[in-house]
Amino acid sequence: MSIRDRKACRDLNACRAARVGGLAIVMMSAASCASVRYSSAFNPSVTVEVEHPPSVGFLVDEVVLAGDSRSGGVTLPGSEDAETRCEAEWVQVLTQELVELGVRVARGDAGQNTDAVITVDVTRCETEQDRREGSREIVERVGDNTRRRTVPEHHARTRVRFRGTFEVVNPSTGLVAASRTLAYEPESTNSSVSELPEFPSPGVVARRAYVSTIGPITPILFRWVEARELVFFDDERCDLDVAHRAVEAGDYERALVISIANVGSCQPDPAADITTRDVAAAHHNVGVLHRIQGDFESALASFERARAADPGNGSVLEAIRETLSAEAVAADLHRVEEAAAALDQQRQVEEENVLRNDDIVAMVRDGLADQVIIEVIRTSAVDFDVSPAALAALAQEGLSAAVIAAMVGRAGGSDAGIVARPHITSGVTRPHPYPES
């Protein structure tokens, strides 16, 4: 290797590794060393994040969760089959998880203001239990000595084979927005060398399957963040390593200032052994820092300058592809958020026009005829409280039996027009059908 080649490869791990491994590098040009120097394999990386919209294509804050489809939601103890029992348990786990994530959860029919209707259907829920014999080596202490011996070991295994479908329907269109079939086969084993162990609880094992469904379901309903890696060049040339030290410290603002200064001072100079690849690396680092800050336009401009200086640099080409992808995802998320904001505004307007108990009381006090009040009730969106206490209070306010009957009818959705809004409840707790071990 010539003196110039050794200079071009100074401090290069690839060259040192080649010598340590006993490989003879007979010919290596300065250009080839520069190519290796700016490859992804010999430079650190930084993490950039991409926030994705929910895969359903809309934001979800309120859902109707339907389950127990085989029994219509009513199951007598001991009468349900395995799939129905597992379906009820799965609904319970999903309800708890959604509530913890801030989603309002209701059961039953979808209301006009529900973001999504979720239906689950368990198609397989089988419990298998078996015993087997093995052996274990144990160490015993006898006086000052120890001895090893092999003893029989008893095993009791419980396995649950679970498969279910998770479906999300957009109530405004009636179309299926997402559907996934999920299958898991969790198992657990109890072991003992002294006696036959009890089988692990099927309920505990099955719950592991239900909890496992949360991971793939979450990105369907919620925003999710993807971590990606981009190369950040840290060569000593053009002080790229100085900018990288600022990146390592988490000071991206300072790193950007340094990197922009590096671009200004980094010019091809054979005497200083600076090539166009060094110039490209300086522009690339500026692009990465703009990308971290979410400034896609500036990032792409810097990456294009890097590509112009070093067209074949794979790290630069990958950075361009990643940034274009992230920009498209950000645009999708922005559209979803705008649609959600418009829907919230529409619902707010509708909410202001909803009739409640106080509105009907005010009409009676204003002296409106019963026929007029009943017609308004029939043709308006309503959210009446028709509990016994509320009905008694309405009677005390002087509402006629006909008006109260019209309110009760609309609260039950029995008349024409816009149906009454459901009251959203969250967190339904059911007893676990399996005995715990």
Side-chain angles (χ1 to χ4, degrees), residues 21 29 45 85 88 105 121 142 167 173 195 200 213 251 288 301 325 336 345:
S29 66
S45 62
R85 181 179 61 239
V105 180
D121 181 24
V142 181
E167 186 175 87
T173 63
E195 58 184 7
T213 66
D251 192 346
V288 170
S325 169
V336 168
Q345 184 175 9

Side-chain angles (χ1 to χ4, degrees), residues 89 199-205 207 431-437:
E89 293 174 343
F199 285 108
S201 165
V204 172
V205 177
R207 186 176 177 83
H432 200 286
Y434 292 120
E436 301 297 330
S437 59

Side-chain angles (χ1 to χ4, degrees), residues 189-204:
T189 301
N190 290 336
S191 301
S192 174
V193 297
S194 59
E195 58 184 7
L196 289 178
E198 296 290 335
F199 285 108
S201 165
V204 172

